[in-house]
Structure formats: structure tokens, C-alpha cells
Amino acid sequence: MSDELWEPPSVLVAVDLVILTLRSAKLHVLLVERGIAPYEGDQALPGGFLNNVSEDILTAAHRELREEAGLDASRLHLEQLGAYGAPSRDPRGRVVSVAYLAIAPGLPEPIAGTDAASACWRPVEDVTSGQLRLAFDHEQILTDGVERARTKIEHSALATAFCDETFTISDLQQVYETVWGVRLDSRNFYRKVQAARGFITPAGSNRRRSTKGRPAQLFRRGPRTVLHPPLVRPDPPTRNERTE
């Protein structure tokens, strides 16, 4: 054994946030324009380093939500997405980022954090289509976050996190169509939602009035967190189907 003392590598820890919401019937993600190097002027996911060695990672995620977007973590869905630690992901040195997925309905216009020049909501498809490039490895983190949401709404009640406290079946269907990127048959969707017992519950006798037709029944999130049977994601449309 070598007599030399082993020194642990110098590694910095950061958190990054994939914050998703529905705006104008499109899936949007919160992005910031970086105001400092590296990647100054580029778009990126909000996030930052831990304040100190005693700060818990989840606490740091809550702090970044508050500082970068003015959001209260207790009022939205928040879950750890994964860890990203490729040696070359940050030109400043060895940085491991713990990414979180946050989802909530009707999120307000963001306020830029301390190291951001500006913040805004952008359609997810702007990034996934290659139209907009993100700093660091944030395109991969965003892709993973969107796929996590797409998969979880099949088997869990996560779709209701995109809805207000009370919502209609049409509101819920729009969530599934927007997140999955497909069109769904309304009658078939209604049948599947009703079959998943405990997924949603009627919000009393409350109804939402519309400009035409009968007022729509309002629902709330039910007690079940796991859907049985699941709402299985349909296959994406073929090229011929997309052009028809």
C-alpha cells in the first residue's frame, strides 16, 4: 500500500430544476438566460450550487424554486429526477447536478434569479425540436424530465398536478394530450378515467358553465396515487397519419 495519503477528488454539487406547466394548451418549461460565465447569454434550466456543505440537497431545490421562480415547493409536485455527473458537463470543473422535476398548474410569470439575466416560459417543443439549444447538459435533463412525466401519468395520478384544485374531464384530457403529444377520443378517455377507481372524485354539485352546452361536472384529485387499470399511452401517429 502506498504511504501517500489519499485525497478525495474536489467535486461541487448543484441542483437543476425541470419546471413544467401547461400554457395555451402547450407544455412549457421555465428557462433562464444565464447572466454569468460559462454560457453567458445562453438559455438554461434554473438551478445553482448548494449554499454550503451543510445545506441539504432537497432544501437547495426548494430554495432555488423560491429564488429562481418565486414558487413555494409545498404548493406543487416535486420529485427527484436523477443525478448528472459526466466529467465534462461543466467547464468550471467536476460538478454533479441533482435534477428535480416540478409540476404545477397556472404558474405565474417568472422572476430571474441572482445569476440570471432573465427568465421566461418556453414551449418544450422549442428545445426537443432542436430549435433552441440549452447550456451544459440541460437538453438531456429536460428530455428525461418530460419522459418521466409522460410515463408517470400512465400509471399514477400525476396528471392532476397540472390541473387546478377542481377541473373537468376535458381539462384532464388536455393534460394527457399535451404531455403525450397525441389526440385522444373523448368518450374512450372518459371511460378509462372512470374505470380507474379513486383517480378523481366529483367536486360536490359544482359545475363549470360554458358559453354553450350543458355545464361541465367538476372533479378533484381522488385518494389513489396508483392507477388501476393504467391509462396506457397510445403509439405516436405515423408520418402518414400526421399529414392527413
Side-chain angles (χ1 to χ4, degrees), residues 150-151 153-156 172 176 180 189 192-193 196 199 227-234:
R150 286 173 174 165
T151 300
I153 65 175
E154 292 187 67
H155 304 280
S156 77
L172 190 61
Y176 277 89
W180 281 345
F189 179 78
K192 289 182 177 181
V193 168
F199 179 18
L227 302 187
H228 182 75
L231 276 69
V232 179
R233 185 187 345 178

Side-chain angles (χ1 to χ4, degrees), residues 12-19 32 34 44-52 55-68 78-84 89-90 92 95-101 115 136-138 141:
L12 295 173
V13 178
V15 294
D16 286 307
L17 303 167
V18 178
I19 307 173
V32 298
R34 288 188 55 79
L45 296 172
F49 293 108
L50 271 63
N51 267 345
N52 50 62
E55 185 178 34
D56 180 77
I57 294 177
L58 181 58
T59 301
H62 287 199
R63 174 177 54 78
E64 290 293 338
L65 276 170
R66 184 176 61 254
E67 294 177 355
E68 296 281 357
L78 182 68
E79 66 177 74
Q80 190 175 120
L81 177 61
Y84 297 80
R89 67 177 302 273
D90 193 317
R92 291 169 294 189
V95 177
V96 173
S97 177
V98 180
Y100 283 82
L101 173 64
D115 62 351
F136 305 104
D137 54 356
H138 289 185
I141 297 176

Side-chain angles (χ1 to χ4, degrees), residues 204-220:
S205 59
N206 295 327
R207 290 179 178 270
R208 180 187 299 167
R209 294 198 172 274
S210 58
T211 55
K212 57 183 178 179
R214 293 185 301 173
Q217 173 71 51
L218 291 175
F219 294 86
R220 302 179 188 273

Side-chain angles (χ1 to χ4, degrees), residues 66-239:
R66 184 176 61 254
E67 294 177 355
E68 296 281 357
L71 298 176
D72 180 357
S74 66
R75 304 185 65 178
L76 45 72
H77 172 86
L78 182 68
E79 66 177 74
Q80 190 175 120
L81 177 61
Y84 297 80
S88 60
R89 67 177 302 273
D90 193 317
R92 291 169 294 189
R94 194 74 163 90
V95 177
V96 173
S97 177
V98 180
Y100 283 82
L101 173 64
I103 296 172
L107 294 179
E109 292 299 324
I111 301 174
T114 54
D115 62 351
S118 64
C120 65
W121 293 105
R122 292 291 298 264
V124 166
E125 64 183 0
D126 286 358
V127 180
T128 56
S129 67
Q131 175 184 340
L132 178 64
R133 304 305 302 268
L134 302 184
F136 305 104
D137 54 356
H138 289 185
E139 291 171 33
Q140 183 62 56
I141 297 176
L142 173 59
T143 298
D144 292 347
V146 171
E147 184 56 32
R148 170 74 66 87
R150 286 173 174 165
T151 300
K152 287 198 69 172
I153 65 175
E154 292 187 67
H155 304 280
S156 77
L158 179 64
T160 59
F162 286 98
C163 298
D164 293 324
E165 183 178 353
T166 59
F167 50 87
T168 66
I169 294 290
S170 293
D171 294 333
L172 190 61
Q173 180 175 334
Q174 185 179 79
V175 170
Y176 277 89
E177 290 182 335
T178 303
V179 175
W180 281 345
V182 299
R183 295 296 299 273
L184 301 173
D185 178 78
S186 296
R187 291 184 179 181
N188 193 34
F189 179 78
Y190 182 88
R191 178 180 59 79
K192 289 182 177 181
V193 168
Q194 295 291 4
R197 296 189 180 277
F199 179 18
I200 60 174
T201 58
S205 59
N206 295 327
R207 290 179 178 270
R208 180 187 299 167
R209 294 198 172 274
S210 58
T211 55
K212 57 183 178 179
R214 293 185 301 173
Q217 173 71 51
L218 291 175
F219 294 86
R220 302 179 188 273
R221 177 173 180 168
R224 294 288 297 271
T225 57
V226 177
L227 302 187
H228 182 75
L231 276 69
V232 179
R233 185 187 345 178
D235 294 329
T238 65
R239 178 177 299 179

